[in-house]
Amino acid sequence: VVDGRDAILFGIDVIATIFGGDASLAPLFHHELFHAYHGPRIGTTGRGQPLYLSVWAEGLATLVARELNPSASDVAIFGLPTNTPARTRADLPRLAAQLRASLDSTRPEDYDAWFTGNDTDAAIPRRSGYMLGYLVAAQLREGRSLQDLARLKGSELRAAIDAALADPAALGRRG
């Protein structure tokens, strides 16, 4: 909050330190600005909230970034570690089942396992919640506008995420 108003602050120095010359700002800005649009529609997400809300919020923001930046690299869309998209796709049935079993979890350690970190060898690929959420959002995108997707919430959203994760073969054909 800056001067009593919500604000998004981008730390260009940190972005440059993390990504160096490979930094691609457009996907990052599109992702974060979509959160500003989507947040009031979905409510609070993140640590301490049901995991499915973060899967959806991050997955849909990632889908928007990809659609607006179709030629962007995977690192520009999914972030670090760079091996997360490939590791997630390679182990999709196990990871989809594991995430599906945790969708209602509010435990901070479950959120952290799926959405934080940079360990390239973790059992659950670090930040793979972004990739799985993206695949779910891409599947639910069929026949729906982005505005319709942004309005999904509550039990309808929870059921749609559950159904998408229940069919990892279909998820694997997305994105």
Side-chain angles (χ1 to χ4, degrees):
V1 177
V2 177
D3 290 333
R5 298 179 62 187
D6 289 339
I8 298 176
L9 305 175
F10 292 96
I12 300 299
D13 56 333
V14 174
I15 295 168
T17 298
I18 293 171
F19 295 103
D22 295 328
S24 182
L25 296 179
L28 173 65
F29 288 174
H30 290 139
H31 181 108
E32 297 305 331
L33 291 170
F34 183 78
H35 282 312
Y37 167 78
H38 190 223
R41 288 155 181 80
I42 195 171
T44 304
T45 63
R47 295 178 106 225
Q49 299 299 314
L51 195 58
Y52 81 89
L53 292 173
S54 293
V55 169
W56 184 243
E58 297 301 348
L60 189 54
T62 302
L63 178 70
V64 167
R66 171 58 81 201
E67 287 194 9
L68 293 174
N69 303 278
S71 63
S73 68
D74 276 354
V75 74
I77 300 298
F78 299 105
L80 300 173
T82 58
N83 69 347
T84 293
R87 286 190 65 212
T88 302
R89 284 186 183 281
D91 203 8
L92 193 55
R94 178 184 72 86
L95 293 170
Q98 194 169 347
L99 180 59
R100 186 174 180 227
S102 301
L103 287 177
D104 295 314
S105 175
T106 58
R107 296 176 31 190
E109 53 270 25
D110 288 335
Y111 174 85
D112 290 346
W114 294 101
F115 291 101
T116 67
N118 198 21
D119 180 355
T120 58
D121 297 318
I124 294 174
R126 303 314 288 183
R127 300 174 48 87
S128 58
Y130 289 86
M131 181 68 186
L132 287 163
Y134 166 78
L135 294 173
V136 166
Q139 182 169 324
L140 297 180
R141 175 79 160 105
E142 291 184 10
R144 292 183 170 108
S145 69
L146 289 174
Q147 293 85 352
D148 289 340
L149 291 174
R151 287 186 205 100
L152 284 177
K153 59 183 174 182
S155 60
E156 178 187 10
L157 172 60
R158 170 64 174 78
I161 294 170
D162 184 69
L165 290 171
D167 189 358
L171 279 183
R173 293 189 295 268
R174 308 291 175 214

